[in-house]
Amino acid sequence: MLFNLLRIVLWLIISSFVVLKIRKTKIVRKKLVSFLIVVLCLGLISVSGMFPIENLFINFKSPESVFNYTNSGKVNDVLYGKESCMAIYSNWNSTGGHYIIPKTEKGYKIPSYFATKIVSHKFDKSGLFDVYNVKGTQDYYVFGTVNLKDDGNEIDIFDGSDEKVESNIIRVGHTNFIYFFLDDFSNEYYLLINGEKVSISK
């Protein structure tokens, strides 16, 4: 995972260089100043992770290349939106996870800390649903945990007008985890699972 490694190495080099320079100066409290410099650099590591500077000069060719640069694991599937995509992945300590990646005309970008927001969260006896919006877009991604009995479940998505929504629904292996994309969202959206109506929001 080069994303974190490069940041740690870069700021270690910078902090070490600055500390060495301070030791050669006439500053009275050199140890205190050196400590503060190290703390500042640690803070800058976190900030540079939240707002990736790579986005200023790097355009990634695929969602997989962004994921491999920033994370560890394997991309199993990708949901494509209009201005973003969601990589669905697995790694050694979990059955699955998701990573939403912004898309521009020039390529894919590393998501900033504030790139997405949860616009709906629902948890009741019918399941758990989180709806994410990519800020500044009409791209919505839904993660759900529902009761799926077998591999032959029939799942359809409907909007508030009871019109069927065409969207690729991805199920993670043989689990009850599902993902899908919406280019619009309201509280009236629901799933029809084997003929049973399941709301995805409160």
Side-chain angles (χ1 to χ4, degrees):
M1 188 167 52
L2 286 174
F3 184 73
N4 290 331
L5 180 61
L6 287 176
R7 278 157 175 73
I8 292 170
V9 171
L10 175 63
W11 292 113
L12 280 176
I13 292 172
I14 292 173
S15 61
S16 299
F17 176 77
V18 173
V19 168
L20 288 174
K21 285 292 185 180
I22 288 172
R23 289 183 178 178
K24 295 179 180 180
T25 65
K26 297 180 180 180
I27 295 175
V28 178
R29 296 186 175 182
K30 293 181 181 179
K31 288 185 178 179
L32 176 60
V33 174
S34 298
F35 173 76
L36 292 174
I37 291 296
V38 172
V39 171
L40 176 62
C41 286
L42 289 174
L44 290 173
I45 290 174
S46 298
V47 172
S48 65
M50 293 170 66
F51 303 98
I53 194 170
E54 290 96 330
N55 284 341
L56 297 176
F57 51 87
I58 296 177
N59 296 298
F60 292 88
K61 293 182 178 180
S62 68
E64 289 82 1
S65 59
V66 178
F67 179 86
N68 291 333
Y69 179 72
T70 57
N71 291 274
S72 59
K74 176 186 176 183
V75 175
N76 299 316
D77 220 324
V78 179
L79 279 173
Y80 290 93
K82 293 181 178 179
E83 299 179 66
S84 64
C85 66
M86 173 188 274
I88 299 164
Y89 67 91
S90 59
N91 54 36
W92 61 272
N93 63 356
S94 68
T95 56
H98 60 268
Y99 188 60
I100 298 175
I101 303 169
K103 180 173 61 176
T104 68
E105 292 180 357
K106 295 182 178 180
Y108 296 90
K109 296 291 187 178
I110 301 168
S112 71
Y113 184 78
F114 302 102
T116 61
K117 61 180 178 180
I118 294 181
V119 296
S120 177
H121 172 77
K122 178 198 171 188
F123 179 49
D124 59 21
K125 63 180 181 180
S126 63
L128 179 149
F129 292 94
D130 285 327
V131 182
Y132 299 86
N133 171 241
V134 181
K135 289 186 178 179
T137 76
Q138 285 295 109
D139 285 2
Y140 295 87
Y141 296 91
V142 182
F143 162 69
T145 303
V146 292
N147 184 22
L148 300 175
K149 298 178 181 179
D150 52 46
D151 292 336
N153 293 276
E154 184 178 342
I155 306 175
D156 294 308
I157 309 166
F158 292 85
D159 62 18
S161 301
D162 295 322
E163 294 288 334
K164 187 176 178 180
V165 177
E166 296 299 329
S167 180
N168 181 29
I169 300 174
I170 295 175
R171 181 180 180 183
V172 179
H174 297 287
T175 70
N176 290 338
F177 299 155
I178 60 171
Y179 295 91
F180 55 92
F181 168 78
L182 297 172
D183 59 9
D184 190 17
F185 174 73
S186 71
N187 291 335
E188 287 75 32
Y189 276 75
Y190 64 92
L191 299 179
L192 202 63
I193 303 176
N194 299 327
E196 181 181 350
K197 185 176 178 179
V198 177
S199 175
I200 65 175
S201 64
K202 293 182 180 179

